[in-house]
Each structure stands twice: as C-alpha cells, then as structure tokens.
Amino acid sequence: MMKNILVTGAAGFIGSNFVHHLLAVDSDVRVVSLDIISYAGYRPNLDRVPDPARHDFVEGDICDRELVGRVMAGNEIEAVVHFAAESHVDRSIMSPDIIMHSNVVGTSRLLETARDYWFGGKGPGPDMARFHHISTDEVFGTLEPGDPAWTEASPYAPNSPYAASKASSDHIVRAFGTTYGLPYVITNCSNNYGPRQFPEKLIPLTVLNALEGRDIPVYGDGAQIRDWLYVGDHCEAIHSVLARGRTGETYLVGGENQTANIDLVTMICCILDELKPGNAPHSDLITFVEDRPGHDRRYDLDTAKIRRELGWEPGTALADGLRRTVRWYLDNPVWVKEQRAKSADIEGVWRKFHSFARYKT
C-alpha cells in the first residue's frame, strides 16, 4: 500500500468520506487533500479527520499543473485518488463546457503532472506509483428491462454531457497507461448516497425539502431504476482496489440495491414520518415534474470481478443506509444550513433545466 496519497476533490461528498475512511483504517498513510472548493466542495467536510497530523489540505485546481506538481514533489506522492469532477447531470445539460473543462481537461492535466513526476527521476518511479480514477456507471448508457447487468467489458454509450465527460476521462486514463506506461486503475460506481452529499442530489434534496415542507420533485413517472451504493461501502472498495487491484484494470462497484426513484423517495418519506412525525405524511409533498432530456431508464452493475479478485462486497442494505443518512442530516443542522445557503441557486437550476425539457418535447 502506498503511504503518501493525494486525494483530489477531497472536500466533496465521496472524497471527504474517503479521506476520513483512509485515515481511520490505515495508520501508516499520509493524505494530502486537494480541492478547488467550488460550489459543491466544503472545507469543513475535512474537519475532525482521524489523526489530523497525517493530513494536509491544499486549496487549488487540478488544471494548475505547476501547483499540482509542487504538491506531488513536496509530499513524495505515490498514489493519486482522483475524485475531482463536476457530477450533476442537470448542470451538465445546461453548461456542458464547464463539465468538459473540469472532467476532461482537468483529468488530462492531472495525468500529465503525475506522469512527469513519476517518470522524471525524482519521484517514486512508476513501479511504486498508482493513479486511481473514480468514474461512474453512467458511461455505459442505459439498460432496458431484462437486459443483463453491465460488466467491465460493456461498451460505452453515454447519453448526457456529464456521462460523456466521464467516458472521455476514462479513455484518457487508459491512453496514458497504454502510451506512457502510467500505472492506473479505474473504478466505475453506481449512485452513491450517505453523509455530506450536496443537497442538489436526489436523496439529500428529498430529505431537506421534506423537512422544510417544500415540494419533493420526481422526474417523469419516477420509474427510473438506479443501483444505490452506500458511500462507506464505496470507500472500502476504493481502498481495496488502490491497495490490491491489478494495474491497468477496471472494477465495477455496485451496492446491489436497485429500486425505482419513486420507491426510493417514498422510503425516505416513510423514514421521516417515523423520525419527524409532526410533518407526516411527507409523501404528500411528492411532485412529478417534466422528465430530464435523455434520462436513462435503468442502471445495473455486475460486481463479480471485484468480489472474485479482491473479496469486496457491499455491506449496507438500502433501508439501513437510508436511515443512517436521514439521521445524519437531522443531526447536523449547521452543515445543512450552510450547504443550503450555498445551494440557493438550485431552484434556478430547476427552472432553467425545465426549459430544456419543454424545448425537447
């Protein structure tokens, strides 16, 4: 296991959970967190990490090669775990150029910097290094009912600008491996949920809107099926792949928790009815809105490879994970208040987005 690790996008949802996890489970690791602190990044997400003496935070952009190069050389970085990405599909539909710059150009520049450091004679050398790229199941497109789950060999068929940007970054990582011999691994995960997720995503938006007595928007008929992966399980999978995964390989990471969006939202409302009965039934707030252009109907990942090679499997049932998640938002009102203030443009995003839906139809 590499000891000096750079985590990009570390102040975001999955990145911050991974930093907390890594410092908790490996007492020999030193972590450098890099984040530009965009609208979805939040520096306090990295407060109270285990053993803070083994953690440093750097505010900066992965596109800044000079900065990243100094960070890597100054900390003798042996591994990069690359979370940094714009990940909201609606925002990608409205502003694809922003998504492409962050996810495609940013990944390319980060790879160049890692290549130059590891192959330049001053770093640990490629035999002692690893670039772990975090990607998504959305690169594979959409499944019809009855279609088999995607495997690592499934063809790419992205349907949104966000998915296309992540597909592009996956290809760039592989190209650096083939062309330059850069040591990499890729993980494609399903929908994550859990503590510290920015409120524009479905689960925290549902929880917080319900608590505030506001409409809970559900796209189209709500029958879109997603696989839900608790973020703690995902962090364990990333750690396993980083430490023991085969160089140049891809691993699919799923939660084995498939459900339709409307059923997921209803489950959250039932949990809130129990924990906050004064506003029950929260399901009365569910409001169906115009569907997202190009909205994928179903995702499903075959996790046989990571189970077989690394012995990882998801450990959190959806009902248990949702309850933990709802409880976390209830127990962290300061975080919620500050993040809701940062996400004040969400309603504007919805209004602008709906204009795209109306135009398409």
Side-chain angles (χ1 to χ4, degrees), residues 8 34-37 58-68 84 101-102 106 109-110:
T8 72
L34 176 67
D35 200 295
I36 197 173
I37 308 296
V58 177
E59 183 172 342
D61 189 347
I62 58 172
C63 292
D64 186 342
R65 289 194 58 197
E66 182 179 352
L67 170 66
V68 177
H101 180 76
S102 176
R109 290 185 182 173
L110 187 63

Side-chain angles (χ1 to χ4, degrees), residues 104-126:
V104 181
V105 175
T107 299
S108 179
R109 290 185 182 173
L110 187 63
L111 285 161
E112 286 187 82
T113 307
R115 177 203 62 192
D116 291 352
Y117 175 60
W118 290 333
F119 288 77
K122 296 181 180 179

Side-chain angles (χ1 to χ4, degrees), residues 14 18 83 134-135 187-190 192 229-239 253 312:
I14 308 176
F18 180 69
F83 293 96
I134 309 298
S135 191
T187 48
N188 296 84
C189 67
S190 57
N192 277 228
L229 173 65
Y230 188 67
V231 68
D233 292 342
H234 188 196
C235 290
E236 291 177 358
I238 295 167
H239 190 201
V253 185
W312 176 89

Side-chain angles (χ1 to χ4, degrees), residues 1 10-11 13 34 37 79 105 108 176 179 197 199 213-214 221 244 284 317 323 330 351 359-360:
M1 180 66 185
F13 165 46
L34 176 67
I37 308 296
V105 175
S108 179
F176 268 71
T179 303
Q197 189 170 29
R214 304 172 71 179
D221 58 5
R244 298 183 287 111
D284 287 349
R323 181 172 291 274
L330 293 175
R351 286 194 297 271
Y359 177 79
K360 181 178 177 62

Side-chain angles (χ1 to χ4, degrees), residues 199 203-214 329 335-336 340:
I203 289 177
L205 183 70
T206 297
V207 173
L208 300 182
N209 276 24
L211 290 173
E212 296 166 5
R214 304 172 71 179
Y329 286 107
W335 187 97
V336 168
R340 284 298 250 183

Side-chain angles (χ1 to χ4, degrees), residues 141-335:
T142 187
L143 291 169
E144 296 297 327
D147 285 349
W150 292 309
T151 70
E152 287 80 1
S154 295
Y156 279 27
N159 290 320
S160 71
Y162 164 66
S165 75
K166 293 301 289 185
S168 298
S169 62
D170 288 4
H171 291 320
I172 293 168
V173 172
R174 292 191 178 97
F176 268 71
T178 300
T179 303
Y180 305 110
L182 188 136
Y184 75 88
V185 286
I186 297 173
T187 48
N188 296 84
C189 67
S190 57
N191 283 35
N192 277 228
Y193 71 102
R196 306 187 191 95
Q197 189 170 29
F198 192 67
E200 69 186 358
K201 296 301 180 73
L202 177 60
I203 289 177
L205 183 70
T206 297
V207 173
L208 300 182
N209 276 24
L211 290 173
E212 296 166 5
R214 304 172 71 179
D215 287 349
I216 301 171
V218 175
Y219 279 134
D221 58 5
Q224 305 88 357
I225 295 174
R226 299 292 183 263
D227 177 69
W228 293 95
L229 173 65
Y230 188 67
V231 68
D233 292 342
H234 188 196
C235 290
E236 291 177 358
I238 295 167
H239 190 201
S240 296
V241 173
L242 180 65
R244 298 183 287 111
R246 289 185 290 137
T247 299
E249 291 292 324
T250 296
Y251 296 87
L252 303 187
V253 185
E256 308 293 340
N257 288 311
Q258 287 201 40
T259 189
N261 286 348
I262 184 59
D263 295 332
L264 178 82
V265 169
T266 302
M267 289 174 66
I268 295 170
C269 289
C270 290
I271 294 170
L272 286 168
D273 287 348
E274 177 186 342
L275 299 179
K276 288 287 185 179
N279 296 324
H282 292 87
S283 58
D284 287 349
L285 298 169
I286 295 174
T287 303
F288 292 93
V289 299
E290 291 166 296
D291 205 357
R292 167 190 292 159
H295 201 175
D296 297 331
R297 292 296 285 180
R298 174 176 165 246
Y299 301 151
D300 188 14
L301 295 177
D302 184 336
T303 60
K305 180 177 178 179
I306 191 172
R307 288 172 178 266
R308 181 179 66 252
E309 293 190 10
L310 303 180
W312 176 89
E313 60 182 24
T316 306
L318 183 58
D320 293 337
L322 286 177
R323 181 172 291 274
R324 287 188 219 168
T325 301
V326 171
R327 174 56 67 188
W328 188 89
Y329 286 107
L330 293 175
D331 291 344
N332 289 273
V334 173
W335 187 97

